[in-house]
């Protein structure tokens, strides 16, 4: 069977995807600043000219990688929340997601940190990182509002602020999971969320 011939746009997109995948690997291994255009092209199996035929430079590639990762994270968040019937079901989904992610935690966390550092050093890239954070916090805010309402409890603070606490806690626990794995587990973040929800419910009822 003859393979379908790619259009010029399809071929270009395939090349860009390979360059972005190679860059993600190298950024995790060597850091953004420690990775050259030549290394990215070589890892992807292309020439330096092929790189510049698709990106103006490393900055444009990093921005595109951030954009695509932000879009993918938003899609993952949407999938996690789609059709959820209860807070318990949401926690079950998050638990499964965290366990699955744990298999590649080191590489994921290193790349995420590298891209965050790049955004801190290049303010024009910060909104892309921020969009991904907002998507996650929005999901958590909806979950907090819904669960407290189901429990008949008033939020002890603005739900958006409670969501920020949960998101920051998850980030911290993931970092601890990598840096000091003794005494930590893949499901700690979800357990911490459930503990806080019980505490906030009790606080509301006692006030």
């Amino acid at each position: 069977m003859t393979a379908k011939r790619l259009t010029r746009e399809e071929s270009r997109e395939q090349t860009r995807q390979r360059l972005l995948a190679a860059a993600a690997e190298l950024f995790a291994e060597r850091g953004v600043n420690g990775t050259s255009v030549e290394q990215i092209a070589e890892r992807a199996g292309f020439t330096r000219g092929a790189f510049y035929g698709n990106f103006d430079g490393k900055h444009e590639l990093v921005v595109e990688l951030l954009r695509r990762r932000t879009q993918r994270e938003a899609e993952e968040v949407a999938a996690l929340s789609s059709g959820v019937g209860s807070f318990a079901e949401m926690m079950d989904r998050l638990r499964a997601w965290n366990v699955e992610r744990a298999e590649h935690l080191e590489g994921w966390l290193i790349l995420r940190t590298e891209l965050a550092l790049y955004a801190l050093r290049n303010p024009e890239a910060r909104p892309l990182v921020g969009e991904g954070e907002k998507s996650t916090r929005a999901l958590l805010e909806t979950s907090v509002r819904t669960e407290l309402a189901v429990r008949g409890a008033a939020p002890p603070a603005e739900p958006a602020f409670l969501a920020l606490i949960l998101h920051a806690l998850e980030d911290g626990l993931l970092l601890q999971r990598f840096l000091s794995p003794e005494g930590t587990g893949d499901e700690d973040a979800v357990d911490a969320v459930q503990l806080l929800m019980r505490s906030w419910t009790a606080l509301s009822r006692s006030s």
Side-chain angles (χ1 to χ4, degrees), residues 136-196:
T136 301
R137 278 157 45 189
L139 168 63
L140 290 170
E141 180 181 350
T142 298
S143 297
V144 167
R145 287 182 183 276
T146 301
E147 181 58 16
L148 289 176
V150 167
R151 299 183 183 199
E158 285 296 321
F161 179 62
L162 299 179
L164 177 62
I165 292 172
L166 293 179
H167 192 34
L169 177 61
E170 179 188 21
D171 272 353
L173 287 171
L174 286 175
L175 185 61
Q176 289 300 312
R177 181 79 179 101
F178 174 59
L179 295 176
S180 183
E182 298 82 7
T184 66
D186 298 338
E187 302 179 21
D188 284 354
V190 178
D191 290 340
V193 169
Q194 291 179 314
L195 176 61
L196 278 176

Side-chain angles (χ1 to χ4, degrees), residues 60-206:
E60 185 185 5
L61 179 143
V62 175
V63 170
E64 178 63 12
L65 183 60
L66 278 167
R67 187 188 69 78
R68 294 194 184 204
R69 285 180 60 83
T70 298
Q71 181 180 355
R72 187 174 68 185
E73 288 173 3
E75 290 170 352
E76 289 178 354
V77 167
L80 280 171
S81 59
S82 177
V84 171
S86 66
F87 181 76
E89 184 180 353
M90 184 74 247
M91 291 299 99
D92 287 342
R93 290 190 183 188
L94 282 173
R95 194 180 299 278
W97 184 64
N98 274 282
V99 170
E100 180 181 353
R101 183 173 57 173
E103 298 178 13
H104 311 287
L105 178 61
E106 181 175 344
W108 176 86
L109 188 57
I110 292 173
L111 178 59
R112 183 177 187 272
T113 303
E114 280 293 330
L115 292 176
L117 287 172
Y118 187 86
L120 287 172
R121 295 175 179 131
N122 298 271
E124 67 274 18
R126 290 181 193 174
L128 290 168
V129 176
E131 284 305 310
E133 300 299 308
K134 287 178 184 176
S135 295
T136 301
R137 278 157 45 189
L139 168 63
L140 290 170
E141 180 181 350
T142 298
S143 297
V144 167
R145 287 182 183 276
T146 301
E147 181 58 16
L148 289 176
V150 167
R151 299 183 183 199
E158 285 296 321
F161 179 62
L162 299 179
L164 177 62
I165 292 172
L166 293 179
H167 192 34
L169 177 61
E170 179 188 21
D171 272 353
L173 287 171
L174 286 175
L175 185 61
Q176 289 300 312
R177 181 79 179 101
F178 174 59
L179 295 176
S180 183
E182 298 82 7
T184 66
D186 298 338
E187 302 179 21
D188 284 354
V190 178
D191 290 340
V193 169
Q194 291 179 314
L195 176 61
L196 278 176
M197 288 301 300
R198 289 197 296 270
S199 300
W200 290 338
T201 300
L203 179 63
S204 172
R205 290 172 178 170
S206 65

Side-chain angles (χ1 to χ4, degrees), residues 14-16 18-19 38 41-48 50-51:
Q14 191 176 82
T15 299
R16 288 169 68 86
R18 285 172 59 181
L19 287 167
E38 290 75 15
E42 182 181 0
R43 176 68 64 91
F46 296 117
T47 63
R48 187 171 184 271
F51 179 96

